[in-house]
């Protein structure tokens, strides 16, 4: 047992997929983040200081193994393999960073500190299997993903990875990159993309009309943004509208796929 001095429930404890490891935050004084091995009962420090316990710096487990991503002091990312006791610094992967659903790819938008200038609206993709930076794609994950919700904008396939990224001025929506393609196609007005687990389709919310409302949530001017929920076939680019007049205040509705890639 370890007294955390006022643990923040939003920041742990978070268990590894195997249940062997757990990390948690301690908020007394300047704050610290610890990692415990429940087999050996050893605990070590992952990071300390006010920034270490900020939600933006919460470590990320790989989906299927005892590998952990957490921030380095210089703003890059560290990949810690707890089975082999090896830590790999990823200088080309700035924090925050995430695993895709397969655990093979690590991706990160090219942030500079707290802001994301238009000149660096790109996302780096690292192959954890080969230990190599494999691509940089124009665009960034949706704001929902950055703040800890929403679907993955990167997904592994048999031919590499597919991506669905926002923030490209010439698009005004989401750019979808098929596997192996350095250029993508734009879905104008589409945001909050979620790639199906099998990497074949993207579901996203396409902005429609704005209507007056007396109810919340609404935009500050009392108008409500309506969305069409659209599914895009990544290989063909064909789209299909599956729902209309979806609302979620000023944010795109959050979309989640089931494990079989057949329902959202």
């Amino acid at each position: 047992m370890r007294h955390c001095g006022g643990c923040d429930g939003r920041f742990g404890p978070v268990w590894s997929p195997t249940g062997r490891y757990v990390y948690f935050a301690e908020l007394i004084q300047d704050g610290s983040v610890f990692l415990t091995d429940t087999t050996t009962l050893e605990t070590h420090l992952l990071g300390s200081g006010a920034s270490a316990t900020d939600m933006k710096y919460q470590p990320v487990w790989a989906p299927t193994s005892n590998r952990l991503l957490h921030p380095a002091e210089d703003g890059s990312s560290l990949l810690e393999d707890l089975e082999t006791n090896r830590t790999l610094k990823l200088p080309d992967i700035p924090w925050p960073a995430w695993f895709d659903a397969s655990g093979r790819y690590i991706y990160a938008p090219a942030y500079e500190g707290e802001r994301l200038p238009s000149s660096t609206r790109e996302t780096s993709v690292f192959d954890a299997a080969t230990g190599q930076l494999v691509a940089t794609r124009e665009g960034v994950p949706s704001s929902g993903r950055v703040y800890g919700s929403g679907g993955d904008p990167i997904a592994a396939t048999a031919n590499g990875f597919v991506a669905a990224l926002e923030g490209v001025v010439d698009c005004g929506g989401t750019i979808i990159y098929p596997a192996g393609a350095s250029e993508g196609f734009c879905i104008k007005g589409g945001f909050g993309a979620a790639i199906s687990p099998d990497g074949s389709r993207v579901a996203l919310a396409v902005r429609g009309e704005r209507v007056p409302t007396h109810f919340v949530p609404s935009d500050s001017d009392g108008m409500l943004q309506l969305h069409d929920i659209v599914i895009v076939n990544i290989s063909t680019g064909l789209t299909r509208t599956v729902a209309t007049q979806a609302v979620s205040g000023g944010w795109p509705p959050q979309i989640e796929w089931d494990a079989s890639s057949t329902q959202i």
Side-chain angles (χ1 to χ4, degrees):
M1 298 290 292
R2 181 181 181 91
H3 176 57
C4 67
C7 291
D8 185 341
R10 298 171 302 162
F11 197 149
V14 181
W15 293 87
S16 67
T18 65
R20 175 173 174 176
Y21 299 91
V22 60
Y23 72 74
F24 55 92
E26 175 183 83
L27 302 183
I28 57 174
Q29 297 180 344
D30 291 332
S32 301
V33 181
F34 295 95
L35 177 71
T36 295
D37 183 337
T38 62
T39 299
T40 65
L41 301 183
E42 295 178 347
T43 295
H44 74 265
L45 182 70
L46 282 179
S48 61
S51 63
T53 55
D54 191 295
M55 290 296 292
K56 297 190 298 294
Y57 300 99
Q58 181 172 357
V60 178
W61 288 111
T64 59
S65 65
N66 291 320
R67 291 178 297 158
L68 185 67
L69 272 175
H70 54 97
E73 292 183 356
D74 65 357
S76 63
S77 300
L78 296 172
L79 175 60
E80 190 167 353
D81 188 330
L82 301 173
E83 297 296 339
T84 62
N85 200 30
R86 294 180 58 189
T87 300
L88 179 64
K89 186 174 183 179
L90 309 179
D92 297 313
I93 300 292
W95 191 264
W98 300 271
F99 289 96
D100 81 308
S102 73
R104 174 171 180 175
Y105 292 104
I106 297 169
Y107 61 91
Y111 281 103
E112 288 186 5
E114 295 286 325
R115 303 184 62 189
L116 183 62
S118 59
S119 61
T120 58
R121 286 185 178 270
E122 59 186 25
T123 296
S124 299
V125 182
F126 178 88
D127 189 335
T130 65
Q132 300 293 321
L133 179 72
V134 293
T136 300
R137 295 286 182 263
E138 189 176 14
V140 293
S142 70
S143 55
R145 174 70 279 179
V146 172
Y147 289 103
S149 63
D152 285 314
I154 303 291
T157 71
N159 299 315
F161 69 89
V162 296
L165 303 171
E166 300 177 6
V168 178
V169 175
D170 293 341
C171 174
T174 294
I175 291 187
I176 298 175
Y177 295 90
S182 59
E183 301 290 333
F185 59 90
C186 174
I187 304 296
K188 289 189 177 296
F191 297 94
I195 301 176
S196 61
D198 65 5
S200 66
R201 287 165 290 178
V202 177
L204 66 171
V206 177
R207 289 176 180 169
E209 64 178 335
R210 298 174 73 241
V211 297
T213 180
H214 298 293
F215 301 97
V216 291
S218 67
D219 293 334
S220 58
D221 60 359
M223 301 293 286
L224 191 65
Q225 177 69 62
L226 302 181
H227 298 83
D228 292 338
I229 306 302
V230 173
I231 294 179
V232 183
N233 184 302
I234 295 177
S235 62
T236 66
L238 295 176
T239 64
R240 179 166 59 97
T241 300
V242 296
T244 60
Q245 297 187 332
V247 298
S248 185
W251 296 81
Q254 183 172 331
I255 302 171
E256 301 283 350
W257 286 91
D258 73 330
S260 65
S261 300
T262 60
Q263 300 181 86
I264 58 170

